[in-house]
Amino acid sequence: MKKFNFRKVLDGLTASSPGGISSGSSGSGGGGSGAGSGSVQSGGTAGTPREEIQETLTSDYFQICKTVRHGFPYLPTALAFDTVQKILAIGTRTGAIRILGRPGVDCYCQHESGAAVLQLQFLINEGALVSASADDTLHLWNLRQKRPAILHSLKFNRERITYCHLPFQSKWLYVGTERGNTHIVNIESFVLSGYVIMWNKAIELSTKTHPGPVVHLSDSPKDEGKLLIGYENGTVVLWDLKSKRADLRVYYDEAIHSVCWHHEGKQFMCSHSDGSLTLWNLRSPTRPFQTTVPHGKIPRDGKKLETCKPILKAEYKTCKNSEPFIIFSGGLSYDKPCRRPSLTIMHGKAITVLEMDHPIVDFLTLCETPYPNEFQEPYAVVVMLEKDLIVVDLTQSNFPIFENPYPMDIHDSPVTCTEYFANCPPHSIPVLYTVGAKHKKQGYSNKEWPISGGAWNLGAHTYPEIIITGHADGSIKFWDASAITLQMLYKLKTSKVFEKQKLEGKPTAEIVEEDPFAIQMMYWCPESRIFCVAGVSAYVIVYKFSKHEINTEIVALEVRLQNEEDIITPEPEITPTFSDASSQLPLLQNLSGSTSTVASEGMMKDRIPCLSVKTRPVRMPPGYQAELVVQLVWVDGEPPQQITSLAVSSAYGLVAFGNCNGLAVVDFMQKMVLLSMGTIDLYGSSDPYQRQPRSPRKSKQFTADNFCMRGLSNFYPDLTKRIRTSYQSLTELSDGPVSLELERCKSPTSGKVTDISSCNLYDHAGSHAVFRYLHTENRENSFSRSRSSSVSSIDRESKETITALYFMESFARKNDSSVSPCLWVGTGLGMVLIISLNLPAADELRQTEPVMVSPSGKFLTLKGAVLVFACLDCTGVLIRPPYEVWRDPNSIDENEKPRKRKLVMHSPSSSQDMGEHQYTVVCSEKQAKVFSLPSQTCLYVHNITETSFLLRADVVSLCNSICLACFCANGHIMTLRYTLLSGQWRSSSRVI
């Protein structure tokens, strides 16, 4: 009899596997914090070792390396642009640097100190970059190699760096400090030259007050031997580097924020704290020959101009055939304090104000020439906002913005869940891109993206990869993630299915304080193009894909799920002997969903959904169109609990979902509820737990603190720490006894964890395995691992949550001789139940004959909440769930619409060895087990972790072999390999 083995394969990270093989041996963990420190147990009988089947996976396939970081730079602080190479650099408060070029060119660098980046300066057209950080250190980066690296560093110990300037084609870097001094660094050797311009020599000797920090440095366009120094208090000095003296001094009574030259080198402009712009001529430095307050009102009595907000930065760019451009940020009038941050463009007499959605961090004007003494000919402005990157086209009079090709808008609405799909059907990306292009916004510039530098190679081994993100506003985004790029293909708004919330009185979504459409779970079948989402307001939407626009009504069903009993004596460690309980199950009373919406007397609510589905016909454009909406309703004044598990089968035409109250199965082909049952009713008379009826409920309206779903403000606590920090204490736990409350924090059973990170393992063109992460907002939701004081510990343990669902062709009972459609159900207490599905034999009868759903009465047990299922045939090949081949449901061409449904089944053939028909792999928060079917014998147990718990796991096929990839709460990633051996088991542990 052949059996399977778990073997972790990250052999290069710890000691090699032991060479001996022994039945029932235990493996030692490689991670000190408990991820992978579990034991291994074999449930099979020991046999004589025979020849091992040849392995297809090696350690080389599991070398983890950084690839690319998508999304908007976190807390940007600085901006730089190489005019010749046309690449952009962005510095952040965390010490990171992002270098962007043409779409696909994206490089991430990080200062080891983690100090904020104050300023960036390109060595234009030389493949190098200078960064000044908040720890008063200068770094010279080499950008010519595959991974940029620091060549030199220079630390200032006695002075703080405030401003840097590197002239074009110069070997001298000018560094201004907080004390008002200016140092000169040799860019080649990256050492101080010894030349220092002291502040007391730059200003007049008669001046006794300190001029403040250096806020600007620039060389004269007509004479590189002269340096313009701007001080914070309003003093500007033109310093002659050769004669070591000041040629010119300018004084103004308002603080200076920025200085910029006219390309002829005869004039310069200053921006001030009172919202004014002053233009100075070198021939008459006593006072500015022009002073303007662009957004100030001109008083009638001729008094001083109105004071406005500071102009933080201004740029003065000239054109050969038109008026110069004056571009600045800030300077708005104090009369309108609620106005959004803006960028002002002055071109001749025209003044254009571009309002921004977020505060402006920095901006740069892109010009045709890098030489400062030529007409600049500006063509675009790059505006770095706190949460966005915008490029404005200056060549058109209405100043449109360019369509941003970078995935900067991943978090325009907070990401609440993610899913990743590799080796998608080849048509998936073109089809999604086609329908997505029709929905794109209009009004963008028709010019090409101006940041077009760098080279990007797709590589020889590419295949379709898609990432799907769900957001707090109910939107869904499909991203092309092939070849480490990330480009949005298609956007779907689930909120269009529901009525808009009423502004007067109580809102429609009464139980959700914020973002009632937030996405919690998603399921996508690339082959059938069936898409399903579950939202925070306890609803499920089934979408079908169509290339044609339709106008139709949305079918809505209501489901009533209620938990009437509480667990008082759990016995998870004891495996009870269960009889066939299929004949002992109670009558299924709630097998159809309620279609009425009735409020009971007084304040008690009953049979009311959280949101109202549109009842009128809705226009649905090409793409994903809502097929069915299923909503959970209030029960006896208690709101519906959040959905914790979701599964869809396009072959069966069924969708299943569960929460802490029970399980529901819906036929989305016939639009009817097949099963709506509490978790305890699934066990029948063989319930392994002792339960007692819940206390009668009081007839009162539940407040936000009295039920599980408390809105997105608790779904995403603002002060929640990152997951690695929040679980740091788990890595320090000892192996001794722990308190009950601590145990609940380690492995709670209140529900399934949402995607804090998407951890996926996939085959890189058959050669290497790569992990890809999509970082989401690091917040915890209220249903997954709630530690809120409003939910007592007793209540958290009293409900058995449905945490995992999986449709497959399997054996529902021990005596079955052939496979049949089944739904595997996993709970938060580690129980596995099998639901038998009886579908019509003929496909022609599928739309008319009912589908029978009944629990089989068979149970399996694990330690911790069940996370994932997988099914293997007797040769160890992963059996994929059956699916329906996509067909357009709204096609008007008979050639496009086949008459019959085409199903693809992956069940083993009847000619295979029937001694051991199937193996089922079940992974929980704590352990993984392999069961033999139909005997339901546990062949193998692997205790993955004792001191932590898994957040996510998945069984994947890699290089013709099977892996179990696990992401642990303490940040560890583990990969376990399945191996067919003859007669016995062995194991070894490897941890990242």
Side-chain angles (χ1 to χ4, degrees):
M1 181 180 67
K2 296 178 179 179
K3 299 177 182 178
F4 290 96
N5 175 36
F6 282 102
R7 181 188 301 167
K8 295 190 178 181
V9 296
L10 299 175
D11 301 310
L13 298 175
T14 58
S16 60
S17 304
I21 303 176
S22 59
S23 177
S25 62
S26 63
S28 60
S33 54
S37 59
S39 62
V40 180
Q41 301 172 359
S42 173
T45 58
T48 304
R50 305 183 212 169
E51 182 180 358
E52 183 178 342
I53 293 179
Q54 183 178 2
E55 298 289 350
T56 58
L57 294 180
T58 65
S59 303
D60 296 337
Y61 295 167
F62 295 88
Q63 299 300 320
I64 308 302
C65 63
K66 296 179 181 179
T67 53
V68 68
R69 178 172 297 204
H70 299 301
F72 186 78
Y74 181 62
L75 299 176
T77 55
L79 201 61
F81 184 72
D82 189 320
T83 308
V84 178
Q85 293 295 328
K86 296 187 182 302
I87 57 177
L88 184 74
I90 302 172
T92 71
R93 195 177 300 175
T94 60
I97 298 177
R98 288 281 291 278
I99 301 175
L100 304 172
R102 67 180 61 188
V105 176
D106 190 333
C107 184
Y108 176 84
C109 313
Q110 176 69 48
H111 292 89
E112 292 183 1
S113 65
V117 178
L118 299 180
Q119 196 175 355
L120 295 172
Q121 289 276 313
F122 271 107
L123 277 68
I124 295 179
N125 201 30
E126 295 185 22
L129 176 71
V130 175
S131 64
S133 55
D135 60 354
D136 305 310
T137 305
L138 299 174
H139 303 277
L140 178 62
W141 295 80
N142 180 14
L143 306 182
R144 295 185 177 182
Q145 55 195 49
K146 186 175 181 180
R147 291 190 175 277
I150 295 177
L151 291 178
H152 303 286
S153 296
L154 180 60
K155 173 73 173 177
F156 281 67
N157 295 319
R158 298 182 178 180
E159 296 189 72
R160 308 214 64 180
I161 299 174
T162 57
Y163 197 89
C164 298
H165 172 64
L166 180 63
F168 178 54
Q169 294 181 337
S170 174
K171 67 176 183 178
W172 303 109
L173 173 67
Y174 302 100
V175 182
T177 68
E178 192 176 33
R179 294 184 178 180
N181 301 325
T182 302
H183 301 264
I184 303 178
V185 179
N186 187 306
I187 203 66
E188 297 175 352
S189 61
F190 219 67
V191 295
L192 290 171
S193 64
Y195 193 128
V196 181
I197 304 175
M198 304 300 292
W199 68 269
N200 53 357
K201 294 184 178 179
I203 65 174
E204 291 185 356
L205 298 178
S206 59
T207 305
K208 296 182 180 180
T209 58
H210 192 279
V214 175
V215 297
H216 176 80
L217 292 169
S218 62
D219 60 313
S220 172
K222 68 175 184 179
D223 187 354
E224 61 181 10
K226 294 184 178 181
L227 184 68
L228 192 68
I229 307 173
Y231 296 95
E232 187 181 57
N233 73 341
T235 302
V236 179
V237 176
L238 184 63
W239 184 266
D240 191 326
L241 294 170
K242 295 181 180 179
S243 62
K244 298 183 180 182
R245 62 181 181 85
D247 282 357
L248 176 71
R249 293 183 178 92
V250 167
Y251 299 97
Y252 196 69
D253 55 0
E254 293 292 341
I256 291 177
H257 285 277
S258 68
V259 184
C260 48
W261 280 100
H262 187 279
H263 81 278
E264 294 179 350
K266 299 178 181 179
Q267 301 173 358
F268 62 88
M269 178 179 289
C270 300
S271 67
H272 301 278
S273 58
D274 62 347
S276 64
L277 295 173
T278 56
L279 194 60
W280 301 80
N281 195 312
L282 298 184
R283 295 182 178 179
S284 55
T286 55
R287 61 179 180 177
F289 76 89
Q290 182 178 340
T291 301
T292 59
V293 182
H295 294 294
K297 297 179 181 179
I298 302 177
R300 298 179 180 179
D301 53 4
K303 294 183 180 179
K304 186 179 180 181
L305 293 175
E306 178 190 13
T307 300
C308 295
K309 296 179 182 179
I311 295 180
L312 302 178
K313 183 177 181 179
E315 292 197 347
Y316 187 18
K317 303 298 180 181
T318 57
C319 303
K320 187 174 183 179
N321 299 320
S322 66
E323 297 290 330
F325 281 89
I326 300 175
I327 305 170
F328 61 89
S329 61
L332 297 178
S333 173
Y334 283 105
D335 290 345
K336 299 179 180 179
C338 296
R339 288 189 64 176
R340 294 186 294 179
S342 64
L343 184 79
T344 303
I345 302 175
M346 300 175 62
H347 189 211
K349 296 182 179 180
I351 300 179
T352 304
V353 179
L354 305 178
E355 292 188 341
M356 305 296 171
D357 294 331
H358 308 284
I360 297 175
V361 176
D362 196 2
F363 73 89
L364 287 174
T365 306
L366 309 187
C367 302
E368 296 289 351
T369 176
Y371 295 96
N373 57 353
E374 297 180 355
F375 284 99
Q376 300 299 292
E377 303 295 344
Y379 59 89
V381 179
V382 179
V383 187
M384 173 56 63
L385 309 178
E386 281 189 357
K387 296 182 180 180
D388 201 0
L389 178 68
I390 293 176
V391 181
V392 182
D393 186 357
L394 295 180
T395 62
Q396 301 183 42
S397 58
N398 59 339
F399 303 129
I401 64 173
F402 290 87
E403 184 177 7
N404 194 333
Y406 308 133
M408 295 290 186
D409 57 345
I410 295 178
H411 296 282
D412 56 353
S413 176
V415 174
T416 55
C417 59
T418 60
E419 293 292 339
Y420 166 77
F421 301 87
N423 286 323
C424 299
H427 55 73
S428 300
I429 292 178
V431 166
L432 290 171
Y433 181 81
T434 300
V435 296
K438 298 177 181 179
H439 302 160
K440 288 187 176 180
K441 296 180 180 180
Q442 304 297 323
Y444 289 112
S445 172
N446 55 8
K447 300 291 184 66
E448 292 185 0
W449 181 251
I451 307 170
S452 57
W456 178 53
N457 185 10
L458 282 173
H461 304 287
T462 59
Y463 51 90
E465 302 171 69
I466 292 178
I467 291 176
I468 307 177
T469 57
H471 299 262
D473 63 352
S475 61
I476 307 286
K477 293 181 181 180
F478 290 76
W479 304 84
D480 178 8
S482 307
I484 73 171
T485 63
L486 195 66
Q487 180 182 5
M488 193 174 75
L489 299 171
Y490 173 67
K491 183 176 181 179
L492 174 66
K493 295 182 178 179
T494 62
S495 59
K496 291 186 175 181
V497 173
F498 303 99
E499 297 285 356
K500 293 182 179 180
Q501 297 187 51
K502 299 177 182 179
L503 298 178
E504 298 180 0
K506 294 184 179 180
T508 303
E510 297 190 44
I511 70 167
V512 179
E513 299 169 358
E514 302 171 356
D515 297 312
F517 310 111
I519 305 299
Q520 281 184 297
M521 292 183 177
M522 300 179 294
Y523 184 94
W524 185 50
C525 178
E527 292 80 10
S528 64
R529 303 184 189 175
I530 294 291
F531 184 62
C532 187
V533 299
V536 71
S537 297
Y539 64 83
V540 171
I541 308 177
V542 180
Y543 288 91
K544 286 189 176 181
F545 187 88
S546 176
K547 296 180 180 179
H548 304 279
E549 179 179 317
I550 61 172
N551 197 326
T552 184
E553 293 185 359
I554 302 173
V555 180
L557 298 177
E558 295 176 359
V559 176
R560 180 186 179 97
L561 281 178
Q562 185 176 7
N563 184 31
E564 295 293 347
E565 298 184 18
D566 292 342
I567 302 172
I568 59 174
T569 310
E571 300 174 358
E573 297 297 330
I574 301 176
T575 304
T577 303
F578 300 112
S579 60
D580 192 333
S582 59
S583 61
Q584 305 174 10
L585 292 174
L587 294 177
L588 309 183
Q589 299 178 354
N590 290 328
L591 293 183
S592 61
S594 171
T595 57
S596 62
T597 303
V598 181
S600 58
E601 297 179 1
M603 297 298 293
M604 180 75 72
K605 289 187 176 181
D606 191 39
R607 299 185 181 184
I608 298 177
C610 304
L611 300 172
S612 298
V613 179
K614 292 180 178 178
T615 56
R616 62 185 181 279
V618 178
R619 186 189 71 86
M620 299 182 184
Y624 276 104
Q625 299 167 349
E627 177 79 2
L628 176 66
V629 179
V630 185
Q631 292 181 285
L632 296 179
V633 296
W634 288 67
V635 178
D636 298 335
E638 183 174 345
Q641 305 301 296
Q642 292 180 353
I643 295 170
T644 56
S645 55
L646 177 69
V648 182
S649 174
S650 60
Y652 305 155
L654 303 179
V655 56
F657 58 91
N659 61 8
C660 61
N661 284 336
L663 171 69
V665 180
V666 178
D667 185 343
F668 63 79
M669 295 182 65
Q670 298 186 25
K671 310 294 191 301
M672 63 186 307
V673 179
L674 303 178
L675 178 72
S676 175
M677 184 179 287
T679 309
I680 57 175
D681 296 327
L682 298 175
Y683 292 100
S685 60
S686 300
D687 189 354
Y689 299 98
Q690 299 180 19
R691 310 178 193 249
Q692 65 180 7
R694 301 179 64 186
S695 301
R697 301 183 182 91
K698 296 180 179 180
S699 299
K700 68 176 184 178
Q701 180 68 39
F702 273 63
T703 61
D705 290 332
N706 290 109
F707 50 81
C708 179
M709 193 159 56
R710 292 181 297 278
L712 212 62
S713 60
N714 291 321
F715 188 76
Y716 293 127
D718 292 335
L719 301 179
T720 300
K721 297 181 180 179
R722 295 184 179 275
I723 185 167
R724 187 182 294 269
T725 304
S726 63
Y727 296 125
Q728 183 178 6
S729 60
L730 296 178
T731 65
E732 301 172 356
L733 294 177
S734 63
D735 295 333
V738 293
S739 64
L740 177 62
E741 187 62 27
L742 182 57
E743 183 64 29
R744 287 170 182 162
C745 291
K746 293 192 300 179
S747 180
T749 57
S750 58
K752 181 179 179 182
V753 179
T754 55
D755 291 337
I756 299 175
S757 293
S758 181
C759 171
N760 302 279
L761 176 69
Y762 59 91
D763 181 6
H764 187 66
S767 60
H768 294 284
V770 181
F771 286 92
R772 179 185 285 252
Y773 303 89
L774 183 64
H775 172 69
T776 65
E777 294 290 325
N778 286 290
R779 305 163 174 177
E780 296 176 326
N781 62 27
S782 59
F783 84 89
S784 61
R785 299 186 182 276
S786 176
R787 295 171 178 82
S788 174
S789 59
S790 62
V791 182
S792 66
S793 60
I794 296 178
D795 189 46
R796 286 203 303 268
E797 296 293 339
S798 65
K799 297 182 180 181
E800 186 174 5
T801 303
I802 304 296
T803 59
L805 296 170
Y806 189 67
F807 287 101
M808 71 170 85
E809 295 280 316
S810 184
F811 300 90
R813 297 171 178 85
K814 287 185 178 181
N815 298 327
D816 289 354
S817 59
S818 61
V819 296
S820 62
C822 295
L823 172 63
W824 286 64
V825 181
T827 74
L829 297 180
M831 303 299 295
V832 177
L833 304 94
I834 305 175
I835 308 295
S836 177
L837 308 174
N838 188 3
L839 281 75
D843 184 66
E844 294 81 5
L845 302 176
R846 179 62 184 85
Q847 293 285 359
T848 57
E849 294 293 326
V851 177
M852 305 303 295
V853 180
S854 61
S856 66
K858 295 301 180 183
F859 319 109
L860 310 173
T861 59
L862 287 87
K863 184 189 300 183
V866 178
L867 298 180
V868 68
F869 298 100
C871 189
L872 312 177
D873 65 14
C874 60
T875 62
V877 177
L878 183 64
I879 302 176
R880 301 291 182 182
Y883 64 87
E884 177 189 2
V885 178
W886 175 79
R887 57 176 182 169
D888 198 326
N890 306 316
S891 175
I892 57 178
D893 188 352
E894 293 296 330
N895 296 328
E896 295 181 13
K897 188 173 183 179
R899 295 180 179 179
K900 295 184 179 181
R901 299 172 66 221
K902 183 178 179 181
L903 304 182
V904 178
M905 312 297 289
H906 296 281
S907 300
S909 63
S910 59
S911 62
Q912 291 179 333
D913 180 15
M914 301 301 289
E916 292 291 347
H917 299 78
Q918 283 183 352
Y919 298 98
T920 296
V921 181
V922 186
C923 182
S924 72
E925 292 178 322
K926 295 289 187 178
Q927 63 181 192
K929 287 187 177 182
V930 178
F931 295 93
S932 175
L933 300 178
S935 64
Q936 299 183 3
T937 304
C938 180
L939 300 178
Y940 188 72
V941 181
H942 184 84
N943 293 319
I944 300 175
T945 176
E946 295 293 340
T947 59
S948 186
F949 54 90
L950 299 184
L951 293 173
R952 183 154 179 167
D954 197 10
V955 178
V956 295
S957 179
L958 179 68
C959 292
N960 299 321
S961 188
I962 307 301
C963 289
L964 174 63
C966 305
F967 181 36
C968 197
N970 56 18
H972 288 184
I973 300 173
M974 294 162 286
T975 306
L976 296 91
R977 175 176 52 181
Y978 303 97
T979 307
L980 266 173
L981 296 177
S982 297
Q984 56 183 334
W985 302 87
R986 66 179 181 180
S987 172
S988 60
S989 296
R990 298 292 177 263
V991 181
I992 297 179

